[in-house]
Amino acid sequence: MSLKDAAKAVRENAYAPYSKFKVGAAIRAASGTVYVGCNVENVAYPEGTCAEAGAIAAMAAAGETRITEAFVIAGAALPVTPCGGCRQKLAEFCTPDVRVTMATTGGVEQVMTMAELLPGAFGPAHMEE
Ligand code: THU
C-alpha cells in the first residue's frame, strides 16, 4: 500500500471528537515497512496526541529508528503542516533530506524536506561540550 493510501485509511480511525479535525500519518521506515498513526484526542485537551506521534510510536515499538519518507493528510483546504512538536519528533528519526508530503483529502499536496520544516533543528551535536 502507498504511504498516501495508508495515511488516508488510518485517518478514518482518528479520535477527534473535540476538534473534529481528523489527521492521518504514515511513515516508511528503513526496512520498507509502513507505520501509521492518527490523532487521539482527550477530554483533558493537552493529553491529546498527534497523528505523527502515533506513527512514530508504532515504528519505535516495532524496533525501527529510521524514517525514509512521511505523509500527513487532513480534511482542510490547505495541506496541514506538522505542528512544531511533531517536527522535532520527526527530526529525531529523519535525515534532513527526508521528504514529508502534506496533503488534503481534496487532493492538494505539498512536499517539504525535513530541513525545510525544521531549520536549525536542535540535535545531539548541540549537547556536546
Ligand atoms: N494534529 C495532528 O494530529 N497533526 C498535525 O500535524 C496537526 C494537528 C491534530 C491535533 C489535534 O487533535 C487536531 O489535529 C487539531 O489540532
Side-chain angles (χ1 to χ4, degrees):
M1 192 187 274
S2 70
L3 273 193
K4 182 182 187 163
D5 288 344
K8 256 173 131 170
V10 73
R11 179 180 168 274
E12 298 297 326
N13 295 338
Y15 177 74
Y18 306 106
S19 73
K20 317 272 188 227
F21 189 68
K22 293 183 163 203
V23 185
I27 54 182
R28 190 179 307 283
S31 70
T33 302
V34 173
Y35 299 95
V36 295
C38 56
N39 53 331
V40 181
E41 298 184 348
N42 192 282
V43 64
Y45 294 175
E47 299 303 327
T49 50
C50 286
E52 297 88 331
I56 289 168
M59 177 192 73
E64 297 213 59
T65 55
R66 276 178 48 221
I67 297 172
T68 59
E69 205 185 338
F71 198 104
V72 186
I73 189 165
L78 294 174
V80 170
T81 64
C83 76
C86 283
R87 293 176 195 215
Q88 184 70 37
K89 288 185 179 79
L90 286 165
E92 183 73 20
F93 304 104
C94 291
T95 49
D97 59 309
V98 167
R99 288 157 59 90
V100 179
T101 303
M102 297 151 281
T104 71
T105 49
V108 183
E109 289 188 13
Q110 182 186 1
V111 182
M112 291 177 78
T113 64
M114 193 62 242
E116 287 170 334
L117 280 172
L118 191 61
F122 173 70
H126 294 107
M127 294 182 67
E128 285 165 19
E129 287 192 26

